[in-house]
Amino acid sequence: MLRSHITRFNKEALLIDEIDDKILMATFMNGLRKGKFLFSLYKNNPNTMSDVLYRATKYMNAEDTLLA
């Protein structure tokens, strides 16, 4: 789920020439389903979209490890 959201989000974000990082983060987070990852983002507010994507990658890797 998270991977597909990131893929869709990145495709759409590339179509926009210039956009504020805070707007990108808010849009990304609004598209997430309620759950542990979204809760962790709200609990420890990221500063940049890069932080959000880094944390998403770490979350997905942890999930993959636990499911293996």
Side-chain angles (χ1 to χ4, degrees), residues 2-3 6 53 55-65:
L2 184 54
R3 284 186 206 285
I6 291 171
L53 294 176
R55 289 173 57 187
T57 302
K58 283 178 53 175
Y59 185 86
M60 289 184 297
N61 289 342
E63 270 191 331
D64 291 346
T65 300

Side-chain angles (χ1 to χ4, degrees), residues 24-38:
L24 276 176
M25 290 189 309
T27 304
F28 180 83
M29 291 168 65
N30 284 336
L32 291 172
R33 294 179 186 225
K34 292 180 183 175
K36 292 178 183 177
F37 178 63
L38 181 59

Side-chain angles (χ1 to χ4, degrees), residues 22 25 29 40-42 44-48 51-52 55:
K22 297 289 183 189
M25 290 189 309
M29 291 168 65
S40 76
L41 288 177
Y42 281 118
N44 302 308
N45 256 353
N47 295 320
T48 65
D51 290 343
V52 172
R55 289 173 57 187

Side-chain angles (χ1 to χ4, degrees), residues 9 16-27 49:
F9 180 83
I16 303 169
D17 286 334
E18 293 182 31
I19 192 164
D20 183 71
D21 219 32
K22 297 289 183 189
I23 294 172
L24 276 176
M25 290 189 309
T27 304
M49 190 61 199

